[in-house]
Amino acid sequence: MGIIAWIILGLGAGLLANMLIPGKRQQGLILTCLIGIAGALGGGWAATNIFHIHTLHGFFNASTWLTAIAGAAILLLAYQLITRQSGRSRSGGSRSGGSRSRSRRRYAHR
């Protein structure tokens, strides 16, 4: 398969992987597609060069799609982990949490 086919495959794999991963997502559609393309290219490279799996025979092959979706899902999970950790460190000391504790107390008495 050529690089153009992997890019097209990555667009679809990124969207499918995004639907399979539970939780709230911070990235938009374009970033999801870009991560999907990188995941598909990385998954295809890893399957052939690292794991020596030669199942990447064609665009409509199930193993090709599974490889691309797995690569995209791994990158999407890594992106979520990185953005969650950086979000916690930025907003960790700026809030006092007073309004949260008041609302929790209000609902706890009902």
Side-chain angles (χ1 to χ4, degrees), residues 21-26 76-91:
I21 297 172
K24 186 178 178 185
R25 287 152 198 79
Q26 299 292 330
L76 283 169
L77 285 172
Y79 178 80
Q80 284 182 357
L81 288 174
I82 290 169
T83 55
R84 272 193 210 146
Q85 289 176 355
S86 65
R88 285 183 189 158
S89 64
R90 276 187 272 149
S91 64

Side-chain angles (χ1 to χ4, degrees), residues 24-90:
K24 186 178 178 185
R25 287 152 198 79
Q26 299 292 330
Q27 76 274 7
L29 179 66
I30 294 173
L31 188 58
T32 300
C33 290
L34 291 175
I35 292 172
I37 291 168
L41 292 172
W45 179 84
T48 56
N49 293 331
I50 295 175
F51 300 115
H52 303 291
I53 300 172
H54 299 288
T55 58
L56 309 174
H57 297 294
F59 187 79
F60 295 106
N61 192 357
S63 63
T64 303
W65 278 92
L66 290 176
T67 302
I69 292 170
I74 289 169
L75 282 185
L76 283 169
L77 285 172
Y79 178 80
Q80 284 182 357
L81 288 174
I82 290 169
T83 55
R84 272 193 210 146
Q85 289 176 355
S86 65
R88 285 183 189 158
S89 64
R90 276 187 272 149

